[in-house]
Amino acid sequence: MPSVPSSKETTVNSPVCPHAGKLHGFSNGENLKTEEESQEAARNIQIKTKNSSPERKWIRPDLPSRCTWSLEASKSDSPHTQVSRTVAPAILPNILNKIGDTPMVRINNIPKAFGLKCEILAKCEFFNAGGSVKDRISLRMVEDAERAGILKPGDTIIEPTSGNTGIGLALAAAVKGYRCIIVMPEKMSMEKVDVLRALGAEIVRTPTSARFDSPESHVGVAWRLKNEIPNSHILDQYRNPSNPLAHYDTTAEEILEQCEGTSILSCKIYRNFFNGIIAFSLKLTLEVHWKSSQQGSVFLLTGKVDMLVAGAGTGGTITGIARKLKERCPNIKIIGVDPEGSILAEPEELNKTDKTQYEVEGIGYDFIPTVLDRSVVDTWYKSNDEESFNMSRLLIREEGLLCGGSSGTAMAAAVHAAKELKEGQRCVVILPDSIRNYMSKFLSDKWMVQKGFLREEDLMVKKPWWWNLKLQCLNMSAPLTVLPTVSCQKTIQILKHNGFDQAPVVDDTGLILGMVTLGNMLSSILAGKINLSDPVSKVLYKQFKQITLTDNLGKLSSILEIDHFALVVHEQIQYLTDGSHSKKQMVFGVVTAVDLLNFVTARKRQERSMSESTDELN
Ligand SMILES: Cc1ncc(COP(=O)(O)O)c(C=O)c1O
């Protein structure tokens, strides 16, 4: 079973092999149970857990792989089913047939701008039906589980994911009629949540900061749900061999085919008719390998690819593609990309950083997924958010490719790595998903400025006269603050009396604890979460934006386009009697759109009346 841990699987020494053993068992062959047996076992373990020790029932996503693949190993020894590619009919039976066969597009302007001599080609995975590279593995995992008799009509699919696998699974579930529950860290965009919801998936969000092996992580929560919901399955992209196999069988074959410009299908047909003669002519032009296997002679297409660049999340994409390309193009160089703050890269020193979080979605982890074969990666490149998002914006503006953030990550690595390639050589870059997932994120100039990935000066748009004036110009009244012990009822009276919608909550020393807003109090009271007599500390709002007096009004206006107010803070250094010191943030005021508008319109009025009086004098 893919998702039910056998007693052996709960121990670290019995890893699930992504490529060896029973493909559809996803567990050690000898431990394979029927779904009913496994569920009974799961229920028993759960009851035991409830009444005795709080032992967790889950399979780690980072068990060492027992895969038997090696560059030298014979194909006939493979334990896996090969899924061959077929030509799509004119009318597709359903949208799942629009997964795979994505376009390869030449990148024209960016290589010139970076002084590259080689050719850069982008494999545009956002043309898959669900919008990402993950559609391939989602469909393959579902169909392999169906073929193995694990997934049956009416069952529930649960998956911990950064979103795109969720969308792929939800798409397959919508078409095939399964219930789908997606467990996703909070960091992932609202756009992904909305698409998932539209596809009928149920969504559970988990804290981004939770370690992968904690019960609160997306992996931990998915397992808890799996243990509670009958007939549910975690297809487990971190361990499932169908993940890298989807890329080994399709993405990599497409790359080879696209880099030759001739389809494998036509080679096979020719061979049947004219065997040796065509083999000879193909050899001249296409570098076709002519290999002998037990079944007879077969054509193996070797593409004209010198380098492949791909980001790694589960590692399924890079592992599957790299294995096939290394078999067919022995001199190819595989470049893996991993964000700073993740630990997938090798050597280990590359991963040393103070960063714990990054904004690019879909790549990097705090564990090494079972399906990631790092031995096929020749060089790792560590990426950062700023270069990733700016490169994605460049791909959109210069090449018209409406791609997502991790596409920029891969391309940013490619323009560095491909410097070593000569004229006539070729580098393929995987662009995993589309801008659809990030409309409210890196597509927005404001978001880029707020996150520090773009400087206002770099924006092309002409800024209004007040843009670079400092916040000090505003006429801010003394701040009204409340202590955390003040009741909600009293706070509402104070706010109404002073005509404010919100106030900072500070402790006795003036330290900011959070904000209290009329809106937040009202919704909490109406939802029955708090009483009027409760202290405001119960409704503290912490998602507010802070700004300092030396920031400019442009930054303030960007904040106010999204938020109702910004808290003006002032940093103080406080020395203690023992000579030690600490930094404290104190409230200086609260600014709203009305304050900014008053300032701008008052200045304009003043200018107008000044020019009128000079006119009169003339
Ligand atoms: C946007 C994006 N980029 C890259 C990847 C990496 O793919 P893989 O998990 O196969 O390593 C993912 C995976 O979720 C993704 O969503």
Side-chain angles (χ1 to χ4, degrees):
M1 301 294 138
S3 50
V4 179
S6 70
S7 50
K8 270 193 185 173
E9 277 178 343
T10 49
T11 67
V12 180
N13 295 332
S14 54
V16 176
C17 168
H19 281 229
K22 288 217 160 72
L23 169 64
H24 302 304
F26 309 153
S27 72
N28 296 333
E30 68 276 16
N31 291 331
L32 219 59
K33 295 175 178 160
T34 65
E35 183 73 346
E36 294 72 32
E37 282 169 343
S38 298
Q39 275 172 8
E40 188 49 45
R43 272 194 291 276
N44 289 341
I45 297 171
Q46 215 186 345
I47 292 162
K48 224 163 123 196
T49 308
K50 271 187 186 160
N51 296 337
S52 50
S53 68
E55 186 193 335
R56 275 176 67 202
K57 199 158 58 64
W58 71 308
I59 303 176
R60 296 179 66 93
D62 61 343
L63 295 174
S65 170
R66 292 191 310 153
C67 179
T68 56
W69 179 89
S70 79
L71 206 45
E72 297 77 32
S74 150
K75 229 23 199 325
S76 54
D77 294 339
S78 169
H80 303 303
T81 328
Q82 300 286 305
V83 175
S84 49
R85 295 172 50 229
T86 48
V87 179
I91 296 177
L92 303 176
N94 62 53
I95 196 61
L96 301 179
N97 289 65
K98 199 64 210 148
I99 292 175
D101 274 325
T102 53
M104 183 76 87
V105 178
R106 180 165 295 115
I107 303 294
N108 298 299
N109 300 319
I110 293 176
K112 270 189 221 136
F114 281 84
L116 299 181
K117 297 202 172 60
C118 68
E119 189 181 19
I120 303 271
L121 301 176
K123 179 79 173 147
C124 297
E125 287 298 301
F126 45 89
F127 281 97
N128 281 306
S132 89
V133 67
K134 293 301 202 160
D135 293 351
R136 294 177 186 264
I137 71 151
S138 303
L139 183 61
R140 176 76 184 251
M141 291 196 301
V142 166
E143 296 195 334
D144 280 348
E146 284 175 338
R147 278 190 279 268
I150 293 162
L151 199 55
K152 296 186 211 75
D155 283 358
T156 300
I157 298 169
I158 302 174
E159 190 71 15
T161 149
S162 58
N164 280 331
T165 306
I167 293 173
L169 287 173
L171 189 78
V175 172
K176 289 167 176 277
Y178 297 110
R179 181 182 173 199
C180 182
I181 304 175
I182 298 305
V183 190
M184 205 163 73
E186 267 157 5
K187 170 179 136 177
M188 309 312 164
S189 73
M190 274 318 287
E191 287 86 335
K192 286 182 185 165
V193 174
D194 289 339
V195 171
L196 281 167
R197 226 171 251 140
L199 284 166
E202 295 156 60
I203 302 140
V204 180
R205 308 296 300 262
T206 57
T208 305
S209 55
R211 269 184 56 93
F212 80 97
D213 53 0
S214 72
E216 305 80 43
S217 75
H218 66 315
V219 178
V221 171
W223 275 100
R224 208 165 67 221
L225 289 170
K226 193 262 164 289
N227 293 331
E228 282 164 9
I229 299 171
N231 304 319
S232 65
H233 314 269
I234 295 178
L235 296 175
D236 201 346
Q237 56 172 336
Y238 303 108
R239 297 165 45 248
N240 194 323
S242 309
N243 174 358
L245 279 173
H247 298 294
Y248 183 88
D249 285 348
T250 70
T251 327
E253 288 289 350
E254 289 166 29
I255 293 172
L256 288 166
E257 197 176 312
Q258 287 164 322
C259 287
E260 285 296 344
T262 307
S263 81
I264 290 174
L265 205 68
S266 61
C267 288
K268 277 182 182 160
I269 293 164
Y270 282 149
R271 183 189 155 261
N272 288 342
F273 285 103
F274 309 108
N275 219 339
I277 302 161
I278 290 300
F280 174 70
S281 69
L282 284 172
K283 245 188 175 174
L284 278 181
T285 55
L286 302 175
E287 287 183 56
V288 169
H289 273 195
W290 184 241
K291 269 200 176 177
S292 235
S293 74
Q294 278 167 339
Q295 290 83 34
S297 298
V298 287
F299 272 122
L300 295 176
L301 220 70
T302 63
K304 170 86 193 72
V305 196
D306 302 285
M307 182 178 276
L308 176 107
V309 184
T314 65
T317 308
I318 197 162
T319 301
I321 298 177
R323 284 179 171 182
K324 178 67 63 75
L325 294 191
K326 289 214 159 192
E327 286 171 4
R328 302 283 177 84
C329 316
N331 297 323
I332 193 167
K333 196 156 179 203
I334 306 291
I335 311 289
V337 198
D338 184 40
E340 288 170 0
S342 160
I343 61 151
L344 301 184
E346 280 182 321
E348 204 46 58
E349 301 85 79
L350 279 180
N351 300 321
K352 285 196 184 124
T353 174
D354 295 336
K355 281 192 193 163
T356 50
Q357 298 235 344
Y358 49 90
E359 290 287 340
V360 173
E361 297 180 29
I363 49 172
Y365 273 108
D366 59 345
F367 64 95
I368 311 297
T370 303
V371 296
L372 170 59
D373 177 2
R374 296 193 288 178
S375 74
V376 291
V377 179
D378 297 298
T379 308
W380 284 94
Y381 180 87
K382 292 299 277 192
S383 65
N384 66 57
D385 285 336
E386 186 175 345
E387 66 171 2
S388 296
F389 292 127
N390 281 303
M391 182 55 89
S392 296
R393 288 163 68 105
L394 213 56
L395 278 165
I396 295 175
R397 198 172 60 236
E398 295 295 325
E399 310 287 341
L401 294 170
L402 294 169
C403 60
S406 64
S407 301
T409 308
M411 190 56 76
V415 296
H416 281 280
K419 286 214 166 92
E420 67 182 56
L421 297 184
K422 298 190 227 28
E423 202 171 333
Q425 289 193 295
R426 189 181 261 173
C427 169
V428 172
V429 187
I430 307 292
L431 307 188
D433 72 351
S434 95
I435 188 61
R436 182 199 68 193
N437 285 339
Y438 313 102
M439 302 292 275
S440 64
K441 292 193 161 185
F442 78 85
L443 195 59
S444 146
D445 286 350
K446 276 166 218 117
W447 188 89
M448 289 289 285
V449 171
Q450 266 176 27
K451 295 281 176 186
F453 302 146
L454 199 64
R455 289 176 314 162
E456 269 153 25
E457 307 84 272
D458 297 337
L459 294 176
M460 305 290 280
V461 208
K462 194 175 172 311
K463 297 298 175 202
W465 59 268
W466 46 265
W467 193 265
N468 287 318
L469 296 179
K470 302 281 177 235
L471 224 69
Q472 286 146 334
C473 303
L474 294 185
N475 216 351
M476 271 182 286
S477 46
L480 180 154
T481 60
V482 288
L483 289 172
T485 47
V486 179
S487 73
C488 290
Q489 186 162 22
K490 189 74 199 155
T491 308
I492 292 169
Q493 279 170 8
I494 295 168
L495 291 178
K496 267 170 60 184
H497 179 74
N498 290 280
F500 290 138
D501 287 338
Q502 63 278 313
V505 179
V506 296
D507 70 8
D508 295 338
T509 65
L511 196 72
I512 306 161
L513 302 175
M515 290 293 288
V516 59
T517 68
L518 278 179
N520 206 20
M521 274 190 285
L522 189 70
S523 58
S524 301
I525 290 165
L526 293 182
K529 285 191 198 150
I530 57 155
N531 296 314
L532 276 170
S533 56
D534 284 334
V536 286
S537 57
K538 280 200 162 181
V539 277
L540 275 193
Y541 179 72
K542 298 209 167 165
Q543 301 305 102
F544 54 88
K545 296 281 171 357
Q546 298 187 357
I547 195 160
T548 68
L549 284 173
T550 51
D551 280 323
N552 66 24
L553 296 181
K555 181 171 178 183
L556 175 65
S557 88
S558 305
I559 293 175
L560 293 177
E561 287 204 17
I562 300 165
D563 293 77
H564 296 305
F565 65 88
L567 190 62
V568 187
V569 295
H570 187 61
E571 212 156 66
Q572 280 188 355
I573 300 176
Q574 191 173 56
Y575 279 87
L576 307 175
T577 28
D578 64 358
S580 63
H581 66 274
S582 60
K583 276 187 185 167
K584 270 178 139 188
Q585 276 193 329
M586 314 299 282
V587 179
F588 197 88
V590 176
V591 271
T592 65
V594 174
D595 298 314
L596 182 60
L597 275 173
N598 280 346
F599 172 77
V600 174
T601 49
R603 266 283 187 103
K604 275 203 167 154
R605 240 179 284 128
Q606 205 180 342
E607 275 169 10
R608 219 177 300 130
S609 65
M610 271 176 58
S611 75
E612 276 165 13
S613 48
T614 15
D615 282 353
E616 272 168 29
L617 281 176
N618 291 337

